[in-house]
Amino acid sequence: MKTDTTERLSLGNIPGVHSGGATGPRVDPAALTIGIVHFGIGAFHRAHQAVFTEDAAAATGDTRWGILGVTGRTDSVVRQLQPQDCLYGVLQKGAAETALRIVGTVRDVAWPARDSEKVTATLAQATTHIATLTITEKGYLQAGDGIDLSLPVVQQDLALIERELDGEGDLPASGSPIGLLVRGLARRFRRGAEPFTVLSCDNLVNNGAVTRALVFSLAEALSAGAGRDDLLAWLAASVSFPSSMVDRIAPATTPGDRAEALTLLGLRDEALVVAEPFTQWVIEDDFAGPRPAWELAGAILTTDVTPYERAKLRILNATHTQLAYLGALKGHTTIAQAIADPALRAAARRTIDADILPTLDVPFGLNLEQYRDSVLERFTNPNLPHTTLQVGMDGSQKLPTRILGTVTDRLNSGHTPAGLALTVAAWITFVAFTLHKDGPTLDDPLAARLQQAVGSDHAAVTGPAALVDRFFTLGDVFPPDVSASAAFRAAVVDQLGEVQRLVHPSD
Ligand code: CS2
């Protein structure tokens, strides 16, 4: 195949980049040293924080902020990036224009199953100052306020951190991102104890505080002794956990995107990512040590991320989720198709106006109505094939963060949010439909428990009320104040009918 024999993007052929239709890298990748370890080097990080970091380096000439990217369970991203000297393109697709930019700020990549030692050693180096995280909601392994200590992988990681604190070498691989992070922090503490910053960039409420609580819950579970107590004291005094709000729509790369990039670049790029033009990063300015000048790259550094984070999670992510489930049920493949459907667009708009906007404080300099309009406009981008199934995955992890906190706020102020009940009803219908024996498999870490809620045979579910009751017993998803609300339960039952009317309008 022609594409397979085309030369692949690498440091050796950067000059060739500019002869095609591409730009970048904006700094000499070979001049960068590692200053950041990033956990979860998927498409989003490459299209977002890595680009901000390169722009900051270009603005200042500061070469300390190369990134070591850490992959998740598989080594596929290592295989994409390593043969390209970790260079990759961001194919920016606007409604009218496409542009390709090569980014060079990722300087190395590690797969924990093989490279836990490399990640640990890098986290411990005095020249590394920051760990950033995009490990998705499920990657945190949260149970209540802490990490789920009942999980075998967490217990194994705990044992490794103890051995690390004892100074043992040649340890096996860590199994969880937080476990590997704390192992690296333990070595950093033993080696030089320089201050450090852990910066979560995931779509969680108070992501900095959540990450801090998980790190501490793991460290506190270590065997009692001087090592543990000194580590905890150092973590409290010298490691900060700022919160941040991140925003850029970055759908999965398709073969068509790769072909388009090949045309623009004349080189093969197996690590290409795709993104919309819009990008935003709001960061709590609470760093224990040095950081890149991200504000020179357009990031907002602030003392309080909360109003931005709430507006983004509750308007953008919540509406994405509603459109994903209603859209998928109605046969729409992409978010752009779903928002182009007048009935779904109207439902989205109603939900934002009636149920979401009343719960939000206005972030400084932001008009919430304009923000709502710009979000809905971004969803219409027809060149960004963000699939409803991609946004719909991991619903059990996403609903609490983006929907159910808003439900609680509305219930507390004496309102029953019908639009949010519609979203919950759409999720339940989607799960039930997907888990039906003829449907595709459900992409959700709670799939097995959701299967029990749905019942192995649809006929066993006696009606909408019984179905809602079964879902509401999922304590990991529905907080007690939501599942105990008779009014909200009735609204979800009611909205199951509305889902059917929306997705089968002619029946
Ligand atoms: C989406 C987000 O897949 C999803 O759940 O809602 O990934 C969304 O595209 C980003 O948060 C946009 O910043």
Side-chain angles (χ1 to χ4, degrees), residues 74-407:
T74 74
D75 68 343
S76 59
V77 179
V78 174
R79 284 186 280 110
Q80 289 169 355
L81 281 168
Q82 227 158 30
Q84 306 186 177
D85 301 318
C86 295
L87 298 180
Y88 62 90
V90 178
L91 190 65
Q92 180 176 301
K93 296 180 128 186
E97 282 169 4
T98 298
L100 180 61
R101 167 176 172 175
I102 306 302
V103 177
T105 197
V106 176
R107 286 294 80 236
D108 201 358
V109 61
W111 177 38
R114 186 187 58 205
D115 306 320
S116 282
E117 170 53 31
K118 177 189 205 162
V119 177
T120 306
T122 309
L123 287 165
Q125 259 163 27
T127 46
T128 308
H129 301 287
I130 299 169
T132 48
L133 278 73
T134 52
I135 55 179
T136 78
E137 295 87 344
K138 65 181 171 217
Y140 286 80
L141 306 180
Q142 196 179 358
D145 289 338
I147 197 159
D148 189 347
L149 291 163
S150 71
L151 295 173
V153 69
V154 174
Q155 284 300 321
Q156 282 153 18
D157 281 355
L158 200 55
L160 289 177
I161 298 163
E162 290 186 343
R163 292 170 66 185
E164 183 63 55
L165 261 187
D166 288 343
E168 263 188 64
D170 284 335
L171 298 181
S174 295
S176 71
I178 299 292
L180 183 52
L181 170 66
V182 176
R183 174 174 163 185
L185 290 174
R187 184 166 317 168
R188 186 175 185 89
F189 164 65
R190 275 199 311 114
R191 286 281 161 81
E194 299 90 354
F196 197 72
T197 301
V198 178
L199 177 59
S200 169
C201 302
D202 276 295
N203 286 324
L204 303 173
V205 177
N206 289 332
N207 53 15
V210 165
T211 308
R212 185 179 196 279
L214 293 175
V215 165
F216 271 81
S217 68
L218 197 53
E220 279 159 4
L222 296 166
S223 312
R228 180 194 69 175
D229 294 346
D230 291 349
L231 174 67
L232 281 167
W234 173 73
L235 286 172
S238 303
V239 181
S240 70
F241 295 85
S243 283
S244 83
M245 180 275 252
V246 294
D247 192 6
R248 191 173 199 187
I249 296 174
T253 310
T254 66
D257 298 323
R258 291 208 181 83
E260 198 172 347
L262 176 67
T263 311
L264 288 167
L265 189 59
L267 297 167
R268 197 152 57 90
D269 179 2
E270 298 289 338
L272 180 78
V273 296
V274 177
E276 65 174 337
F278 181 91
T279 186
Q280 191 177 32
W281 196 6
V282 184
I283 308 166
E284 185 185 358
D285 199 357
D286 177 25
F287 286 75
R291 63 166 174 82
W294 282 313
E295 69 278 20
L296 298 182
I300 298 173
L301 275 291
T302 174
T303 51
D304 187 10
V305 170
T306 312
Y308 296 93
E309 172 213 274
R310 279 184 157 224
K312 192 262 175 170
L313 289 174
R314 292 185 173 197
I315 296 180
L316 188 149
N317 294 109
T319 308
H320 238 176
T321 288
Q322 188 188 70
L323 286 166
Y325 296 129
L326 290 175
L329 289 166
K330 208 166 171 181
H332 297 309
T333 308
T334 67
I335 294 291
Q337 288 164 357
I339 192 78
D341 181 320
L344 300 197
R345 189 184 178 100
R349 174 75 199 250
R350 256 197 323 272
T351 305
I352 297 174
D353 289 352
D355 299 346
I356 297 173
L357 293 186
T359 71
L360 296 176
D361 296 330
V362 186
F364 179 75
L366 194 74
N367 171 311
L368 287 174
E369 280 79 20
Q370 278 171 11
Y371 182 70
R372 169 202 62 205
D373 292 347
S374 72
V375 164
L376 295 179
E377 183 60 29
R378 285 164 62 196
F379 289 168
T380 65
N381 184 340
N383 295 323
L384 214 58
H386 204 189
T387 65
T388 46
L389 289 183
Q390 189 184 351
V391 178
M393 70 186 271
D394 293 349
S396 70
Q397 314 292 299
K398 292 175 177 174
L399 247 64
T401 300
R402 38 182 86 178
I403 310 288
L404 301 177
T406 321
V407 171

